[in-house]
Amino acid sequence: MRKTCIMLLAACLLLAGCKGASPAEQEPFGEEIPVSAETPEPDAQPVILAENGKAYFSLIRAENADNQSVDIAVEFRRTFEEKTGISLAFGTDWEKPGTAPDMETKEILLGVTNRTDPETVSSLGYRDWKIEEEGNKVVILAKSPAALRAAAEAFFTDQVLTMEENSVTLNHLPLSGTAALAAGEVPDFPFGTLKGTYESSGSTVVVRVEKTNAEEFAAYRTMLEDAGFTLYDDNTIDGNLYATYVNDETTVNISHVPGMELTRVVYEKRGDLCPLTDPYEEKYETLLTGMKGETVVAAEGMGFIIRLADGSFCIIDGGMGDPDHVDSNKLMNILRSQMPEGQEKPVIAAWLFSHLHGDHIGVFNCFSLDFHDQIVLERLVFNFPKEEEVEKSDSPYMLDDTNYRYTQFKKNLEEFYPDVPVLKVHTGNRFQVRNASFEVLYTLDDLYPKSILNGGMNECSILYKMTLGGQTTLWTGDFAFNATDLVLEEFGDALKCDILQMAHHGINGTVPFYSRVDPTYVLWPVWAGGFESMRNSEQNKWLIDSPNVKHIIVTGVGTWTIRLPYAPLEGTFDRTPTWRTKYPAYPNLLGE
């Protein structure tokens, strides 16, 4: 490997995810980056990549590279061809089992591969990158997609990649630098085995480290404090450890799961923090309403309204909504009928979203257009994926609807609620909404090294566990199968709840998951006919046949309201719906 004193002054680069663009729309590689004027050592000869229109090197990425790194590799190959007119052969580091990695062929290794020196990898921080020649390889090395993109930017600068006469050469090796992240500066986790890093929603960076222990987790907490971070909250769920640290610029959420020997470091630009207390005066009984969607677009949408002890509200999702705004009017009528007498406007203490599919955020959009000036909205709660992953996560039909509604969602936030706090939640976070306590048991950050591209948008459904009046409710949204497997491993018996909202309208969910939740009451947000058509699915049949389930409430039958905590009078309800079932509207309470 040739050594030189030349060092590249790396330009400050934001996370690719912060730009909100697909690889085709991102800034092209190859912006001007200055190189020091020192003279190379005599043996620091350029690396000849191609001559006379023929490439001597192929491009290799890891077989198991994450989706962002794959996109960078595709963009790298396209940029090389655009700049040189030469197409690079493109492959992965896969080798037939039992054979050694290919170290003889001339290759450009992009990211960490099985040809990369482990000591060189371990010497890098999350944001560091380097480009060097090592035998027959040109190694473009980084541990995170953000740093890998920074290295690719450096590779394609005119000072480094040059074309003279009939040759394409790479100059000034080795080069190194550090990517500047919008999430800020956070100490590297120096223990265990780094599985990788991932740029999640917005400016969020997720670092996954395996083969770690509680002592190392505690040592890292000390490192954060030594670096100027202050503890905001810590939490323990089923023996798993969670903590949130902040400084003026950055929020760091760290977790350790002993049973998985797993540590996560999730950090992002500092925003609104989860309220650990929320003072209120208890004046009213707490109610839960399941709103039957009336829209002709999709009656299976999900919307739940909780009237809290001071007369304010907490809303879970909302439903589809449609151009006629029937459901937004219906929601406003519910809020007005249940709000304290004489109060001018309904107070929505928190509006929680599971994920951004249209049948969950659509009513919010219509409601905001119709009633934003007739309510008081105190906070919004969600964690949505970055837009370039949304663009590839579902079928074209689903994406057309999602993109339309998500665009309207962001516009509503900017136009109508610019000063309303937005809680971007992560696993282990807890927050208080009047007399309701919430813990977050899953967000899309936990899915890494997979992403929503591996299982669809439903994989980003947040799992909220609510405690109210001594009774627990598990809000699953459209919880999907990869997420289900993860929370079973991470939380086990801590999933036990009194009330379960069935996953994805009864489409998802599994018997192992539901058996751990082991609910007494079940909320099924499904259209009326969906109950009959899906009641014999394995997981749904398990709930219907469970001797511990006393009542299954299907929202598609009609809008209903119950008191929380829920303790219905025996004989006043059908255990499961029948064609005769008709849920009473407030103030007639279901089960009384």
Side-chain angles (χ1 to χ4, degrees):
M1 179 178 61
R2 298 185 177 98
K3 302 289 184 181
T4 90
C5 296
I6 302 292
M7 294 296 293
L8 184 67
L9 303 177
C12 291
L13 301 172
L14 294 177
L15 283 173
C18 298
K19 297 177 182 177
S22 65
E25 298 168 330
Q26 290 165 344
E27 293 297 320
F29 293 142
E31 296 299 315
E32 288 295 320
I33 300 177
V35 179
S36 67
E38 297 180 37
T39 304
E41 296 177 2
D43 66 341
Q45 299 297 317
V47 179
I48 301 175
L49 300 177
E51 286 183 313
N52 299 316
K54 177 183 178 182
Y56 293 143
F57 288 74
S58 57
L59 180 64
I60 299 295
R61 64 162 175 86
E63 172 73 16
N64 62 348
D66 59 66
N67 293 304
Q68 292 181 64
S69 297
V70 171
D71 286 344
I72 291 170
V74 172
E75 185 180 355
F76 186 99
R77 182 172 184 254
R78 183 174 64 240
T79 303
F80 189 92
E81 184 170 3
E82 288 174 353
K83 282 184 168 288
T84 68
I86 298 170
S87 179
L88 292 174
F90 191 17
T92 73
D93 64 354
W94 182 86
E95 301 286 350
K96 186 177 180 179
T99 61
D102 179 1
M103 303 305 295
E104 300 302 321
T105 305
K106 288 188 174 184
E107 295 171 332
I108 299 173
L109 306 179
L110 190 65
V112 179
T113 71
N114 62 8
R115 281 93 144 143
T116 312
D117 177 29
E119 291 187 8
T120 305
V121 176
S122 64
S123 69
L124 294 182
Y126 305 145
R127 299 183 301 114
D128 298 336
W129 59 264
K130 63 172 54 179
I131 306 173
E132 59 187 7
E133 183 187 11
E134 195 168 301
N136 290 319
K137 313 298 181 186
V138 172
V139 180
I140 305 174
L141 185 59
K143 291 181 177 179
S144 71
L148 190 60
R149 173 166 287 279
E153 292 277 0
F155 184 98
F156 286 110
T157 54
D158 292 340
Q159 302 98 317
V160 176
L161 186 70
T162 61
M163 290 162 282
E164 296 181 359
E165 296 181 355
N166 295 320
S167 67
V168 179
T169 60
L170 193 62
N171 305 281
H172 303 315
L173 301 187
L175 303 173
S176 62
T178 301
L181 306 182
E185 300 282 345
V186 174
D188 289 351
F189 190 90
F191 312 106
T193 301
L194 177 67
K195 182 67 176 180
T197 60
Y198 167 66
E199 286 99 47
S200 185
S201 52
S203 64
T204 303
V205 177
V206 179
V207 181
R208 181 185 175 97
V209 188
E210 300 177 348
K211 298 182 180 178
T212 65
N213 57 49
E215 291 74 21
E216 293 166 342
F217 180 76
Y220 185 68
R221 294 183 64 162
T222 300
M223 291 175 61
L224 287 171
E225 292 164 4
D226 291 343
F229 285 87
T230 301
L231 178 66
Y232 178 74
D233 186 33
D234 58 7
N235 192 17
T236 301
I237 307 174
D238 197 34
N240 303 327
L241 308 174
Y242 305 90
T244 301
Y245 284 84
V246 296
N247 64 16
D248 291 341
E249 298 179 349
T250 304
T251 300
V252 186
N253 288 281
I254 58 175
S255 62
H256 177 65
V257 185
M260 300 170 66
E261 296 185 320
L262 170 65
T263 294
R264 300 186 190 100
V265 180
V266 180
Y267 61 102
E268 63 201 0
K269 184 178 180 180
R270 179 166 175 171
D272 298 299
L273 298 172
C274 294
L276 303 180
T277 61
D278 193 18
Y280 65 95
E281 186 176 355
E282 187 164 353
K283 292 184 176 181
Y284 305 95
E285 60 185 1
T286 301
L287 304 176
L288 171 63
T289 299
M291 191 178 85
K292 178 182 182 295
E294 304 294 344
T295 173
V296 298
V297 179
E300 71 270 23
M302 168 178 145
F304 294 98
I305 304 102
I306 304 166
R307 189 184 74 177
L308 300 162
D310 69 339
S312 64
F313 298 93
C314 177
I315 300 176
I316 314 291
D317 286 348
M320 175 65 83
D322 68 347
D324 294 329
H325 294 214
V326 174
D327 287 340
S328 65
N329 289 325
K330 186 172 185 177
L331 173 57
M332 190 59 167
N333 289 336
I334 291 171
L335 299 181
R336 285 172 173 163
S337 69
Q338 295 185 10
M339 75 179 189
E341 186 176 351
Q343 184 172 295
E344 182 181 353
K345 298 179 179 181
V347 176
I348 301 173
W351 199 318
L352 281 61
F353 298 96
S354 60
H355 65 301
L356 56 75
H357 270 150
D359 58 324
H360 295 257
I361 68 171
V363 164
F364 171 82
N365 289 340
C366 297
F367 185 87
S368 296
L369 292 171
D370 294 339
F371 302 114
H372 63 273
D373 58 348
Q374 300 177 48
I375 61 164
V376 176
L377 177 59
E378 293 187 351
R379 61 181 65 91
L380 295 152
V381 185
F382 57 87
N383 184 347
F384 293 161
K386 57 185 182 178
E387 292 176 22
E388 58 263 40
E389 290 196 347
V390 172
E391 291 289 341
K392 306 174 186 175
S393 62
D394 281 329
S395 66
Y397 166 76
M398 291 287 290
L399 282 177
D400 285 346
D401 181 78
T402 298
N403 288 333
Y404 167 75
R405 295 178 191 276
Y406 189 27
T407 298
Q408 185 65 56
F409 181 91
K410 290 180 290 184
K411 183 179 178 181
N412 287 336
L413 263 58
E414 181 179 350
E415 183 174 351
F416 302 134
Y417 313 115
D419 299 320
V420 174
V422 174
L423 308 184
K424 185 177 180 180
V425 291
H426 305 279
T427 297
N429 286 169
R430 55 184 176 174
F431 58 95
Q432 193 74 23
V433 183
R434 305 304 196 261
N435 57 318
S437 301
F438 290 88
E439 283 184 318
V440 179
L441 302 188
Y442 171 86
T443 71
L444 63 96
D445 307 321
D446 305 336
L447 196 59
Y448 180 75
K450 293 181 179 179
S451 77
I452 62 171
L453 304 184
N454 300 103
M457 185 76 71
N458 291 333
E459 295 286 5
C460 73
S461 280
I462 299 171
L463 190 64
Y464 297 102
K465 186 174 183 178
M466 180 183 78
T467 302
L468 198 158
Q471 196 171 57
T472 53
T473 302
L474 198 63
W475 301 106
T476 67
D478 282 0
F479 213 51
F481 297 108
N482 289 318
T484 299
D485 292 341
L486 281 174
V487 299
L488 277 171
E489 187 173 9
E490 185 162 347
F491 293 107
D493 291 337
L495 295 171
K496 175 74 177 80
C497 281
D498 300 296
I499 302 174
L500 165 71
Q501 174 250 308
M502 287 178 63
H504 195 198
H505 317 286
I507 300 170
N508 292 345
T510 65
V511 172
F513 178 63
Y514 287 158
S515 62
R516 286 297 184 100
V517 179
D518 189 24
T520 305
Y521 307 107
V522 174
L523 313 177
W524 195 339
V526 67
W527 60 103
F531 170 73
E532 292 299 333
S533 65
M534 292 191 289
R535 65 181 300 161
N536 290 320
S537 298
E538 181 183 32
Q539 74 278 8
N540 300 338
K541 190 174 187 302
W542 186 91
L543 286 170
I544 291 171
D545 292 344
S546 171
N548 296 330
V549 173
K550 294 182 179 179
H551 194 183
I552 297 175
I553 310 173
V554 176
T555 303
V557 174
T559 297
W560 49 265
T561 301
I562 60 177
R563 286 189 176 94
L564 291 180
Y566 188 42
L569 298 175
E570 295 291 339
T572 60
F573 58 88
D574 296 322
R575 181 184 176 277
T576 58
T578 69
W579 66 272
R580 301 182 194 87
T581 301
K582 183 178 180 181
Y583 296 145
Y586 178 79
N588 299 313
L589 302 182
L590 178 61
E592 296 187 1

